[in-house]
Amino acid sequence: MYDQVLVFSIKGSLAHFRQPDTTATHATYPFPPRPTIHGLLASVLGLDFDDEAGAAFLHEEHFVGLSLLKPVRTVCAQMSMHGKGFTGGGGDSFNRLTTIELVVSPHYLVYYTGSRLGELAERIRTGQSVYHTYLGSAYCLTFPVFHGLYPLLEVAPGEEEPLPCSSVVPQGVIQEILVEPGGNYAVARALPYRHVGGRFFERTLNVIYEVNGKPLKVKVRKVPEIACKFLKLPEGKVVCLW
């Protein structure tokens, strides 16, 4: 359906992709979930998910993927958050010390293919964005950097044949991981899969990654649990988009 893939990077001094089921301490995912990447793309395009064009973007078929350009490292810090008065007495609002987990010096490579590819590529290449772009939270600003627009070369994983994958990979796609000496493997658990509008999300995924951004050598399921593509980039790297 699509014949090109857009590649761009995002980085910052901090990121916070809040895990919604954490309340007292706000834990973070190690990288942006799929709906967060869609939100960043919508900010570049100036889409509002509450109107017709924004809803159409949410529901169309498109694929995103992500590679780590820096090791995942997190710290916890306390921030003074502005709360509402329903949890305390004496006034409508108050400031509350809240412990937050933050990703430090995040740097990611993002892949996208979909119907708005040409417009997104031009906007990111020229440094244009309608709304501001950030890494999960508004205090973690980022500015997408264009890397290229490449032909979409799909790779058909062979049965029982390991595929060296330079991106994070959803667990539902993997039949087996071939563990390499020195590899440091981790799972980002319960990432939201699809934003259906109105801040409602469908399904969650576990995503496997190598903490230092090294390739994952995987055998791919004959029938993956989600729609996905394996692409070969011009430099020879293979990445997974879903």
Side-chain angles (χ1 to χ4, degrees), residues 29-49:
Y29 297 114
F31 41 80
R34 187 171 182 266
T36 304
I37 296 174
H38 289 158
L40 185 143
L41 298 175
S43 290
V44 173
L45 293 168
L47 295 176
D48 181 346
F49 290 151

Side-chain angles (χ1 to χ4, degrees), residues 125-137:
R125 189 183 65 77
T126 56
Q128 297 179 37
S129 178
V130 176
Y131 303 122
H132 71 283
T133 47
Y134 50 86
L135 295 170
S137 293

